[in-house]
């Protein structure tokens, strides 16, 4: 880019008087325009390369022995005698992506009067019976009802103890 200044008055132009910027025009010769077009094209190519690099991080197959959250989320949980004790209301994941807890809704009827408790993920076992997966917990419904309750805090997007 070329800046040309045209003198309009006899007073010397200095940054301290208004004549300094009088008659200043910006010119963009043809050569500068070509450089700008090359710069824009380079940016577009770089953006495309970053997108391609991101696509390379995908997997070609699901990891062996992996389970989906759907196998737990909104599923019923039973005691060892196959009595329903609650439903999984949420799956808790740590920052590394490891599932470390389940929020189970116990008691109540159709969601009314239900209490949410958190159990360690390792406490819930999976059992296959009649071609159906069952989630079991070595705990009674009354035992879970007496456990500390939690509520979901939308502001912090975490489960907090009830009463806070």
């Amino acid at each position: 880019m070329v800046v040309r200044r045209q003198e309009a008055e006899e007073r010397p132009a200095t940054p301290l008087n208004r004549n300094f910027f009088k008659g200043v025009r910006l010119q963009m010769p043809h050569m500068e325009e070509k450089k700008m077009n090359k710069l824009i094209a380079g940016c577009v190519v770089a953006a495309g390369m970053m997108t391609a690099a991101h696509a390379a991080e995908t997997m070609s197959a699901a990891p062996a022995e992996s389970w989906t959250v759907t196998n737990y989320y909104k599923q019923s949980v039973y005691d060892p005698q196959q009595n329903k004790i609650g439903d999984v209301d949420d799956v808790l994941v740590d920052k590394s992506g490891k599932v470390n807890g389940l929020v189970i809704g116990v008691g109540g009827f159709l969601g009314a009067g239900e209490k949410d408790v958190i159990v360690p993920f390792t406490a819930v076992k999976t059992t296959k019976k009649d071609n159906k997966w069952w989630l079991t917990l070595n705990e009674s419904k009354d035992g879970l009802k007496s456990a500390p309750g939690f509520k979901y805090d939308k502001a912090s997007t975490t489960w907090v103890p009830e009463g806070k």
Side-chain angles (χ1 to χ4, degrees), residues 48-108:
M49 289 172 60
M50 288 190 313
T51 303
H54 181 69
E57 294 177 19
T58 62
M59 296 180 166
S60 60
E65 302 294 318
S66 64
W67 282 55
T68 68
V69 172
T70 307
N71 290 349
Y72 297 93
Y73 183 65
K74 297 293 182 191
Q75 299 300 316
S76 298
V77 180
Y78 299 89
D79 66 12
Q81 291 76 37
Q82 298 180 353
N83 298 312
K84 183 177 175 181
I85 56 177
D87 295 304
V88 177
D89 289 340
D90 207 350
V91 178
L92 305 177
V93 181
D94 67 16
K95 291 190 184 290
S96 71
K98 181 179 175 187
V99 175
N100 56 14
L102 297 174
V103 178
I104 300 177
V106 295

